[in-house]
Amino acid sequence: MKALARRIDALLPQTQCTQCGYGGCRPYAEAIARGEADINQCPPGGDEGVARLAALLHRAAKPLNPANGSYRPPQVAVIDEATCIGCTKCIQACPVDAIAGASKLMHTVIASWCTGCELCIPPCPVDCITLAPVAALPEAKLSRERHEARAMRRERDAREHLERLAAYE
């Protein structure tokens, strides 16, 4: 099952957008491998992504499920730096650490890392984030590595925080 999930995950675009209904590309791949999710739930992958999954799993291709959204050409987030208030909510939301900045200072998007997932847009209190078309998204392997590194860092930070709290008890 794990080997199949890895093969499925390798075919996904690694936007980590959660439009499929799962917390990222890997959980979606695992759900497909377990037979709990359909192959047509990834809008960033589009019909081409569905076709690749269908071929791997020896299933018939089907249209993208409109309940998960619709395919759009590659895009990246762009921050209007003059409007940005430095709240860091976009940084916290970015699943691939493609936003740089510091509290109370403007932020910027590292376009070559951005997957266009749109997860940074809803938390922005000043609506300074828009999407701009790009020729292509980052290589899926690199996006997966950044997503995994972020997850490991967050786990480490949470563990260290609990250890510091325990030291004061």
Side-chain angles (χ1 to χ4, degrees):
M1 188 71 64
K2 288 183 181 184
L4 178 59
R6 276 194 299 275
R7 291 174 63 202
I8 293 168
D9 187 49
L11 296 178
L12 296 173
Q14 301 303 314
T15 58
Q16 312 302 340
C17 67
T18 71
Q19 291 181 60
C20 60
Y22 293 87
C25 295
R26 172 70 66 157
Y28 175 47
E30 291 168 350
I32 293 172
R34 289 190 306 267
E36 297 170 2
D38 210 340
I39 61 173
N40 66 339
Q41 295 177 214
C42 177
D47 291 334
E48 185 179 311
V50 174
R52 285 193 307 263
L53 292 171
L56 172 69
L57 300 170
H58 307 291
R59 297 185 193 169
K62 54 174 65 174
L64 205 58
N65 184 342
N68 298 100
S70 58
Y71 173 78
R72 284 188 310 272
Q75 55 192 1
V76 296
V78 177
I79 296 176
D80 178 353
E81 296 172 359
T83 307
C84 178
I85 60 171
C87 70
T88 74
K89 291 180 180 184
C90 59
I91 291 174
Q92 296 167 41
C94 182
V96 292
D97 288 337
I99 301 176
S103 182
K104 298 184 181 156
L105 297 172
M106 71 88 188
H107 299 93
T108 193
V109 175
I110 304 167
S112 62
W113 290 10
C114 181
T115 64
C117 70
E118 302 181 37
L119 293 175
C120 58
I121 295 173
C124 179
V126 294
D127 295 324
C128 69
I129 304 172
T130 58
L131 297 169
V134 291
L137 291 176
E139 183 183 331
K141 178 180 181 260
L142 298 175
S143 294
R144 182 183 308 106
E145 289 170 358
R146 281 192 294 279
H147 181 67
E148 290 171 354
R150 178 181 184 266
M152 289 184 344
R153 185 186 74 247
R154 290 176 64 132
E155 280 180 30
R156 182 199 66 224
D157 291 350
R159 185 180 60 252
E160 289 174 355
H161 178 72
L162 290 174
E163 290 170 357
R164 285 191 303 274
L165 288 175
Y168 288 107
E169 292 180 350

